[in-house]
Amino acid sequence: MSTVEIARPAAATAQESEQAATTDGFHLVIDALKLNDIDTIFGLVGIPITDLARLAQAEGMRFIGFRHEQNAGNAAAIHGYMTQKPGICLTVSAPGFLNGLTALANATTNCFPMILISGSSEREIVDLQQGDYEEMDQLNAAKPYAKAAYRVLHAEDIGIGIARAIRAAVSGRPGGVYLDLPAKLLAQTIDAVKAKQSLVKVVDAAPRQLPAPDSVKRALDVIKGAKRPLILLGKGAAYAQADKQIRELVEKSGIPYLPMSMAKGLLPDTHAQSASAARSFVLQEADCVVLIGARLNWLLAHGKGKTWGAAPKRFVQIDIAPTEIDSNVAIEAPLIGDIGSCVTELVAGIDANFPKPPSEWIAAVTEKKNKNLEKMAATLAKNPSPMSFHSALRAIRDVLKTRPDINVVNEGANTLDYARAVIDMYEPRRRFDSGTWGIMGIGMGFAIGAAVTSGTQVVAIEGDSAFGFSGMELETICRYDLPVCTIVFNNNGVYKGTDVNPTGGKDLAPTVFVKGARYDKMIEAFGGVGFNATTPEELTQALQEAIKSGKPTLINAVIDEAAGTESGRLTNLNPQSGVKK
Ligand code: ADP
């Protein structure tokens, strides 16, 4: 299975040319992907898919090889989010598959279209549990974590299998799809003409879904009656690529808007109607909230409780998934359809007679916003030594302001919380972060996915703990010479680096890392450029140089080890035992 022979097994000799030309499973998988305009595979080779990767490259596709499947999967997922085409992750069987499955589950949770393709062992042996090499019932293992899962057993079904996977990944609510390809299938030969006929070019993979006219009217009526309306944009709105329509809705209605973290930049964060700096105030005070591609999950306190204040709310919700409606609170006006179509209909309903939000509401939001911005400016202006999260972020913010086209990846606890608030975004789909699960470990995968997909600069702002989950991909970044600058906020530990072992024993506290670690040295091992920054000035200079070079770079940003709060902003989710820290 691991031969390097990748030439199409078509008639090569005189004797063979008398027989009908044949092809095989390997070639058909690549043909089916290419036919559907898929040009990149993220993955990690091994038995039984090494030749599939080689063949993909030989046939003109890009194969981006990783050091761990989870990172390849995360890159594929972000590729899907950026392009509306499923990102492909290719793995070996059993453990490789399971590593990729984490990313598939994360993609499904975040509504990113992705297909995890894994090679697998022989069905006959797996099903009788006879102990095959890397034996695992991968199809059933994938099902609970994927939007759909398929297995192809016959070469003539490869075309249909890939078509079903593509359609499942991108239609309706996007998500992760698992495609199981047993080793035997890849080696199967099939008549070339029959094979060609079996391929399927997917037509209109994510059809527009127009909202019902009565739903549109109901939504407009609810918005019309509002005294303190608010538009809440989620990453579904960014994914939908309905940027123009959304801007029109916001500006034509005059309603303040709040972007969820990955919707930042859909309109520039500096837009006059952005209520980001008055987030708590508008969530509490609004009497009508128009949710556009945002779920009322934990990130929005489930639409109730203290976060949402005492004032009763009326909700309008635009979503492509009807079952999302009423998931946490009653939605008075659901608008089911694709965001582009739904927003277009709302915009059409906002005529000259449509009431503007009362001026007292706009004034109250503006006042709160300005006050909070002033407070933030004072915090950012401080210059402690060692650097605080804020003084480091000020330096980064000022550099990124000059390059609105830069992709920003962000994960960590405090590093995520503070960066989200401080770093302004100016263009849609430029911010990629911990997302719906609020997880660590997406960093280098998302950074590589964003760099490969956009071909432009990425700046990954990473907590030192978060970075550790995918740090080995620095080699991948260097190998593909990607324009990724990773900034590690190094405060010597998880949350912070000052905890002590209460027993006085030799082991460090569970939250503490090697003190004074030099993450910048890691990238130098692979030929990248490392910087060590201990002041905002050094950080500014390093980042400017890194961006100018467009080369793989890493900045070790030394942050006060006492800075940082436990669990960042999520203290309430972390039960405390009372053990001394
Ligand atoms: P955030 O975390 O930013 O609040 P979520 O991931 O919770 O965003 O919500 C995204 C929502 O957008 C999901 O409910 C999903 O069904 C929806 N969605 C995704 N794409 C579209 C689309 N093209 N049209 C309508 N809704 C969409």
Side-chain angles (χ1 to χ4, degrees):
M1 199 55 58
S2 56
T3 65
V4 190
E5 176 55 62
I6 52 173
R8 190 177 290 271
T13 65
Q15 192 194 5
E16 278 170 356
S17 62
E18 280 172 20
Q19 300 161 359
T22 59
T23 186
D24 61 16
F26 285 107
H27 288 83
L28 263 180
V29 170
I30 302 303
D31 289 348
L33 292 172
K34 282 178 66 181
L35 181 67
N36 285 289
D37 303 322
I38 290 172
D39 55 14
T40 308
I41 295 177
F42 303 90
L44 206 165
V45 296
I47 296 171
I49 51 88
T50 309
D51 268 5
L52 195 59
R54 288 196 181 104
L55 183 63
Q57 192 173 58
E59 297 271 326
M61 294 180 80
R62 260 199 114 178
F63 182 85
I64 308 291
F66 285 70
R67 305 302 294 262
H68 190 288
E69 293 86 351
Q70 190 182 119
N71 307 319
N74 284 327
I78 223 60
H79 178 81
Y81 172 70
M82 293 171 83
T83 61
Q84 296 184 325
K85 281 197 276 182
I88 308 290
C89 174
L90 182 64
T91 79
V92 301
S93 34
F97 153 79
L98 284 175
N99 288 344
L101 188 58
T102 308
L104 189 76
N106 188 52
T108 305
T109 304
N110 281 281
C111 313
F112 299 154
M114 169 189 166
I115 302 174
L116 174 67
I117 301 179
S118 297
S120 59
S121 306
E122 300 319 328
R123 291 250 33 84
E124 296 82 351
I125 302 177
V126 172
D127 289 351
L128 272 173
Q129 298 179 25
Q130 293 174 311
D132 205 356
Y133 165 76
E134 294 190 351
E135 176 181 297
M136 173 174 272
D137 183 357
Q138 296 169 198
L139 184 69
N140 278 313
K143 275 182 185 163
Y145 308 107
K147 188 179 166 193
Y150 307 107
R151 174 163 49 226
V152 183
L153 290 177
H154 304 293
E156 64 262 34
D157 292 332
I158 287 174
I160 286 291
I162 299 248
R164 295 212 75 189
I166 292 172
R167 201 173 276 285
V170 298
S171 63
R173 170 182 280 177
V177 176
Y178 175 60
L179 189 64
D180 193 85
L181 302 183
K184 244 191 212 170
L185 168 84
L186 295 170
Q188 263 178 41
T189 54
I190 173 176
D191 173 78
V193 176
K194 207 168 131 196
K196 196 164 180 211
Q197 287 165 351
S198 73
L199 295 180
V200 179
K201 168 107 178 147
V202 177
V203 176
D204 198 10
R208 282 194 309 146
Q209 286 179 229
L210 307 186
D214 51 329
S215 308
V216 176
K217 184 175 176 311
R218 193 185 298 119
L220 285 167
D221 285 346
V222 170
I223 301 170
K224 229 183 253 177
K227 294 274 170 290
R228 297 183 301 280
L230 174 70
I231 291 173
L232 215 157
L233 302 172
K235 62 180 167 311
Y239 173 78
Q241 300 195 10
D243 312 338
K244 197 172 136 275
Q245 295 95 312
I246 287 170
R247 190 177 191 127
E248 233 184 317
L249 175 70
V250 168
E251 292 182 346
K252 212 169 159 194
S253 69
I255 298 173
Y257 74 93
L258 197 58
M260 296 299 287
S261 68
M262 280 180 61
K264 277 163 69 73
L266 197 42
L267 290 99
D269 278 336
T270 46
H271 194 284
Q273 284 171 257
S274 168
S276 283
R279 186 177 194 272
S280 308
F281 176 77
V282 289
L283 288 180
Q284 283 175 359
E285 297 299 321
D287 65 350
C288 166
V289 180
V290 183
L291 296 158
I292 306 183
R295 286 170 286 184
L296 284 173
N297 53 21
W298 71 281
L299 288 163
L300 283 167
H302 303 281
K304 49 200 170 203
K306 262 198 326 222
T307 306
W308 290 84
K313 311 260 182 261
R314 304 176 78 186
F315 285 100
V316 175
Q317 184 164 21
I318 301 180
D319 206 291
I320 204 150
T323 50
E324 185 56 39
I325 307 304
D326 300 333
S327 58
N328 285 273
V329 297
I331 303 295
E332 191 171 337
L335 208 49
I336 304 305
D338 71 275
I339 285 167
S341 301
C342 293
V343 172
T344 302
E345 290 300 320
L346 287 186
V347 170
I350 300 178
D351 54 22
N353 299 324
F354 201 87
K356 286 265 176 253
S359 53
E360 306 86 73
W361 173 233
I362 302 297
V365 176
T366 309
E367 191 191 327
K368 189 73 194 170
K369 184 174 147 177
N370 290 341
K371 217 156 117 193
N372 286 346
L373 285 174
E374 263 169 46
K375 245 202 271 174
M376 175 67 95
T379 310
L380 288 171
K382 289 185 189 144
N383 241 340
S385 178
M387 284 192 286
S388 65
F389 284 92
H390 281 99
S391 65
L393 284 167
R394 180 191 71 223
I396 298 170
R397 179 200 63 179
D398 290 346
V399 176
L400 295 188
K401 209 188 278 181
T402 64
R403 282 289 304 274
D405 60 318
I406 283 178
N407 303 288
V408 174
V409 172
N410 187 198
E411 63 173 338
N414 296 281
T415 307
L416 176 73
D417 292 340
Y418 294 132
R420 185 176 45 217
V422 173
I423 306 292
D424 284 333
M425 301 305 299
Y426 304 90
E427 294 182 1
R429 296 168 296 283
R430 293 284 189 205
R431 187 185 153 85
F432 315 101
D433 65 26
S434 303
T436 303
W437 266 344
I439 50 162
M440 308 293 125
I442 48 85
M444 297 300 99
F446 277 11
I448 294 168
V452 167
T453 305
S454 68
T456 56
Q457 179 73 43
V458 175
V459 171
I461 307 172
E462 301 273 310
D464 49 353
S465 166
F467 171 69
F469 290 83
S470 63
M472 190 61 200
E473 301 300 343
L474 287 180
E475 189 276 331
T476 311
I477 291 171
C478 291
R479 187 167 13 110
Y480 291 96
D481 195 24
L482 296 173
V484 175
C485 174
T486 304
I487 307 173
V488 178
F489 273 50
N490 186 357
N491 65 347
N492 295 345
V494 183
Y495 311 130
K496 54 185 175 174
T498 50
D499 280 9
V500 287
N501 179 342
T503 69
K506 186 168 161 282
D507 290 346
L508 292 177
T511 53
V512 172
F513 294 149
V514 165
K515 305 243 178 195
R518 290 288 300 272
Y519 292 97
D520 50 315
K521 300 279 180 203
M522 281 176 71
I523 199 161
E524 289 173 4
F526 308 113
V529 178
F531 301 88
N532 189 46
T534 57
T535 63
E537 294 70 35
E538 285 174 6
L539 183 49
T540 303
Q541 203 186 343
L543 183 56
Q544 280 170 341
E545 258 181 61
I547 292 172
K548 192 159 162 240
S549 75
K551 290 280 173 201
T553 47
L554 187 144
I555 305 171
N556 183 55
V558 181
I559 307 290
D560 183 355
E561 68 170 358
T565 52
E566 178 103 0
S567 309
R569 215 174 41 84
L570 304 180
T571 316
N572 61 323
L573 297 181
N574 197 6
Q576 304 286 314
S577 70
V579 172
K580 195 167 160 286
K581 289 170 194 144

